[in-house]
Amino acid sequence: GGDFNSISPLDPEPAWAELEQHHRSRYMSDGRVADRCVLQSLYDAGFVDLGHQLGRNGERTVPGAKFGNTEFVPFRSDYFLASRPLAARASSYAVVRDERTDAASDHYPLVVEFSS
């Protein structure tokens, strides 16, 4: 799991118009839509996106509430990926948002639980 600073092919296109042009180029291969090759490569290698699997991929992980005027528009930039056997045991997925995590980082933390 971690901060991939990338967009999943399973997620909608973020609102790029809200972001300054010099920040947009960080995420786009053609200047119009997000480059999704990082996550697609991991999916192609067999990793399972637990946020998507558990129906929580619509939850943004950036920017943290206390980090306005950053290089982010709201989108899911952080992921927890697992092998298929481990993904079969994933039971919950959450983006932790509270007063502490609003100020701790520009990214919100993820918590995933697994059944035994």
Side-chain angles (χ1 to χ4, degrees), residues 18-93:
E18 299 172 16
L19 192 61
E20 293 181 39
Q21 179 59 41
H22 68 279
H23 291 307
R24 283 185 229 166
S25 62
R26 175 179 182 183
Y27 302 102
M28 300 177 175
S29 60
D30 67 357
R32 292 175 291 152
V33 296
D35 181 351
R36 298 165 189 266
C37 69
V38 171
L39 272 294
Q40 186 61 59
S41 295
L42 292 164
Y43 299 158
D44 291 346
F47 287 97
V48 176
D49 178 344
L50 299 183
H52 179 72
Q53 175 180 290
L54 295 171
R56 305 297 294 268
N57 61 307
E59 296 185 41
R60 70 175 177 83
T61 63
V62 294
K66 303 286 183 180
F67 292 83
N69 300 319
T70 62
E71 71 273 15
F72 300 116
V73 292
F75 72 97
R76 184 171 71 126
S77 177
D78 304 85
Y79 302 85
F80 201 110
L81 307 177
S83 65
R84 291 191 194 289
L86 183 58
R89 295 178 43 213
S91 57
S92 71
Y93 170 100

